[in-house]
Amino acid sequence: MSEQLFSKKNMKLLTDPLGSNNPITVQVLGICSALAVTAQMKPAFVMALSVTVVVAFANVIISLLRNTIPNRIRIIVQLVVLAALVILVDQFLKAFVYDVSKQLSVFVGLIITNCILMGRLEAFALGNKPWPSFLDGVGNGAGYGMILLIVAFFRELLGSGSIWGHKILPESWYIAQGGFYSNNGMMILPPMALITVGVIIWVQRSRNRNLQEK
Amino acid sequence: MDKNGNIYTFIYASVMVILVAAALAFTAISLKPFQTKNVEIEKKQSILSSVNIASTAKDAEAIYAEKIVNSYIVDATGNKVDGDAFAIDLKVERAKPAEKRLLPVYECQTDEGLKYILPMYGTGLWGPIWGYVSMNDDMNTIYGATFAHQGETPGLGAEIATPGFQQQFKGKKIFDESGNFTSITVAKSNETAPTEHKVDAISGGTITSKGLQKMLLDDFTTYKAFLTQKKQ
C-alpha cells in the first residue's frame, strides 16, 4: 500500500484531463460557462481558478466521506458539498476581487451546476482515496482552465486588441487613427467562443486519431 | 448501524446541513465588512463618473473626499433634512409615497464650477436600473450622467451603462424656455421632442429606454421643488 504520491498512475490522473481526456474538448462538459466568461483573459482565469479549487476540494471531501455517505442521498450530499464550496468562493471573490466578481456575476453561482464537477464527484471521488481524488480534481480543473484561457486569449486579442487588459496592438494600426485595422466585434459575442472551442476540438482530433469517432 | 436505513440517512442529512449552514454563516459574517466596503467604493466611483471624473477602485475614496465638497438630504418641498446622504437606500425611499421620500444631493467642485449630483432609481426590463445625474448650477442644464443596471440584456438594454449613451445627456435641459418642467425624452426616431430635451433611445432596448425615461421623469419631479428653490 506504500504507493508513491507521484507514481505514474497518479500523474496520469493529473495529465490526462489536459489532453486526451479533456473535460471540454473531449467530454464536451462545462460548455456554458466556457462560452460566457471567455471574452477577456482575467475573468476566464479567475473562473478557471475557482472551478479548480472547488472541484479539487469537493473531490477530497466526498472521497473522505465516501464510506459514510448513505447511497440513497449521495447526489444530495455531493450537491450540498459543492454548493457550500461555491458560496465560499463567491463570498471571497466579493470581498477581495469585487470587479472580477461583478464580471463573473451569476456564473460563479452556476459552478454548482457545471457538469464537470458532479461528473468527477460521482465518477471518481466516490470510489477513490482522497489523494488521487485531489489530483483528479486539480487535473480536471486545469484541463478546463487551459481551454478557457486559450479561448479567452484569441477572443481578447482579436476582439479587443489586448491581452490580460493590456493593449498590445499599436493604436496607429486602427482605422480611427488612420491605420488599416479594426477589432472584430463578433469575437466578443458568445457565438465566436463556440466556434473557437470547435476549432480547438478540430485541431486536437486531427492530431490525435484515437479521439475520432468511427 | 445500517448505512442504508432511514434513521442513519436522516441523521446524516441533518448533521451535514447544520454543519454546512454554520460554516457558511460564519464566513458570510466575517467577510461582510470587506464586501460593504467594496459596494461603497463602487458607489463613490459612480457618483464621480456622473461629473465625468474617472477613478479606479484604489483612488476613488481619495478623489471623492477631495471633490465632493458637500452632501445633504432634502425632502420633496426642497428643505434640508438631517441625516447622512450617502447612507440613504434609494430602493427603500422609492417604496415610500413621493412627498415622504428623503432625497440625497451631492455637491461636487469641478474645474467647471459647482455641480449638483442627484441619484436616480427606477426599473428597466429585467430588474432595477439606477444612476446619477449631475446638474450645472443653473439647475437646468445636465452636466453629466451615469447609469447602471442589474440584469438588462447585454448589447441591448445594457447599453445604458456605456459612455456612448451617457454622453448624450451632457448639455440637455430639463426646463423649457418659459420655465416649465419637461424632463428628458428618451426618444425613438419617430418621436418628436425639442433637441435640448431629447436623447436617442437604444435600438432593441425599448423597454429599458422607456424605463430610463420614466426614472428621469419621476425622480426629477420629486427633486423639482429643490431645483426651483436653488435656481432663484
Side-chain angles (χ1 to χ4, degrees):
Chain A
M1 241 2 264
S2 60
E3 200 183 339
Q4 280 179 339
L5 281 185
F6 289 100
S7 65
K8 214 170 172 191
K9 203 172 120 215
N10 281 347
M11 286 312 285
K12 228 172 127 47
L13 292 174
L14 205 55
T15 53
D16 261 6
L18 295 175
S20 61
N21 202 9
N22 189 283
I24 294 187
T25 60
V26 179
Q27 299 172 12
V28 198
L29 296 175
I31 291 292
C32 159
S33 55
L35 303 190
V37 300
T38 51
Q40 287 165 339
M41 286 192 81
K42 201 174 167 196
F45 177 76
V46 175
M47 182 72 178
L49 201 64
S50 311
V51 168
T52 309
V53 169
V54 171
V55 72
F57 283 99
N59 258 0
V60 171
I61 293 171
I62 291 295
S63 174
L64 286 170
L65 297 175
R66 71 186 187 281
N67 294 323
T68 68
I69 297 174
N71 198 34
R72 276 185 294 172
I73 58 165
R74 68 176 197 286
I75 300 278
I76 298 175
V77 173
Q78 291 166 12
L79 263 181
V80 170
V81 169
L82 271 185
L85 285 171
V86 167
I87 293 171
L88 284 181
V89 168
D90 191 31
Q91 293 285 328
F92 272 96
L93 291 181
K94 272 192 187 136
F96 299 113
V97 271
Y98 187 68
D99 51 334
V100 177
S101 128
K102 267 189 63 179
Q103 260 177 335
L104 292 174
S105 63
V106 297
F107 292 101
V108 174
L110 287 178
I111 294 177
I112 300 170
T113 60
N114 191 322
C115 327
I116 297 172
L117 287 88
M118 285 294 281
R120 290 336 289 167
L121 296 183
E122 179 75 10
F124 197 90
L126 270 179
N128 287 282
K129 293 212 168 66
W131 176 246
S133 300
F134 178 75
L135 292 179
D136 179 77
V138 172
N140 275 282
Y144 168 83
M146 185 183 73
I147 301 299
L148 245 63
L149 284 175
I150 296 176
V151 176
F153 174 81
F154 286 111
R155 288 183 71 191
E156 192 177 345
L157 179 65
L158 301 175
S160 324
S162 56
I163 296 291
W164 203 270
H166 300 290
K167 264 277 180 249
I168 60 154
L169 295 183
E171 282 293 329
S172 58
W173 282 19
Y174 285 92
I175 290 172
Q177 312 290 327
F180 56 91
Y181 184 78
S182 128
N183 287 326
N184 185 345
M186 267 291 272
M187 289 306 285
I188 309 178
L189 301 174
M192 284 312 286
L194 187 64
I195 291 171
T196 315
V197 171
V199 171
I200 295 173
I201 294 179
W202 173 32
V203 171
Q204 191 189 16
R205 293 199 177 184
S206 64
R207 289 167 59 100
N208 185 345
R209 304 214 164 253
N210 293 333
L211 294 175
Q212 290 177 11
E213 278 114 29
K214 297 277 147 42
Chain B
M1 194 186 266
D2 176 15
K3 265 198 351 196
N4 285 317
N6 286 345
I7 299 176
Y8 180 82
T9 307
F10 271 115
I11 295 176
Y12 195 93
S14 319
V15 171
M16 176 183 70
V17 168
I18 291 170
L19 284 181
V20 167
L24 290 183
F26 175 77
T27 325
I29 290 169
S30 40
L31 291 179
K32 191 88 194 158
F34 297 99
Q35 297 172 353
T36 323
K37 185 89 184 158
N38 286 332
V39 174
E40 272 177 22
I41 290 178
E42 194 196 16
K43 187 170 170 182
K44 288 180 176 172
Q45 281 184 286
S46 313
I47 292 176
L48 288 173
S49 96
S50 77
V51 279
N52 312 321
I53 299 175
S55 59
T56 64
K58 284 199 188 78
D59 60 16
E61 295 212 284
I63 300 182
Y64 183 90
E66 184 199 332
K67 297 280 183 183
I68 305 294
V69 288
N70 196 3
S71 68
Y72 43 83
I73 304 174
V74 295
D75 61 15
T77 55
N79 298 318
K80 282 195 190 180
V81 185
D82 286 338
D84 177 11
F86 194 76
I88 294 275
D89 183 352
L90 290 177
K91 196 176 166 189
V92 176
E93 298 305 318
R94 194 70 200 187
K96 297 181 190 170
E99 65 276 8
K100 286 195 179 151
R101 284 183 204 156
L102 298 174
L103 311 168
V105 178
Y106 305 89
E107 286 179 7
C108 178
Q109 190 65 52
T110 68
D111 303 336
E112 298 173 56
L114 193 62
K115 309 293 171 195
Y116 296 84
I117 302 169
L118 314 176
M120 308 263 153
Y121 189 92
T123 30
L125 171 59
W126 303 114
I129 54 175
W130 60 93
Y132 297 88
V133 177
S134 62
M135 311 291 297
N136 282 344
D137 51 10
D138 66 354
M139 287 298 172
N140 182 9
T141 316
I142 294 180
Y143 177 66
T146 180
F147 301 106
H149 62 92
Q150 192 181 66
E152 299 307 298
T153 319
L156 303 176
E159 294 291 302
I160 59 165
T162 58
F165 179 75
Q166 294 166 4
Q167 270 156 16
Q168 294 188 79
F169 284 84
K170 185 163 188 176
K172 301 290 171 186
K173 292 182 164 45
I174 60 167
F175 292 96
D176 67 13
E177 275 158 19
S178 42
N180 297 317
F181 174 65
T182 56
S183 187
I184 301 286
T185 307
V186 184
K188 295 258 166 175
S189 57
N190 60 358
E191 286 171 277
T192 49
T195 325
E196 71 262 31
H197 306 306
K198 183 176 88 167
V199 296
D200 285 334
I202 297 152
S203 314
T206 306
I207 298 177
T208 311
S209 301
K210 290 295 156 204
L212 190 91
Q213 177 178 322
K214 186 168 184 307
M215 168 174 94
L216 293 173
L217 177 65
D218 289 353
D219 284 344
F220 275 132
T221 310
T222 48
Y223 277 105
K224 205 164 103 187
F226 168 75
L227 294 172
T228 342
Q229 262 179 33
K230 272 277 178 189
K231 203 155 58 165
Q232 280 143 14

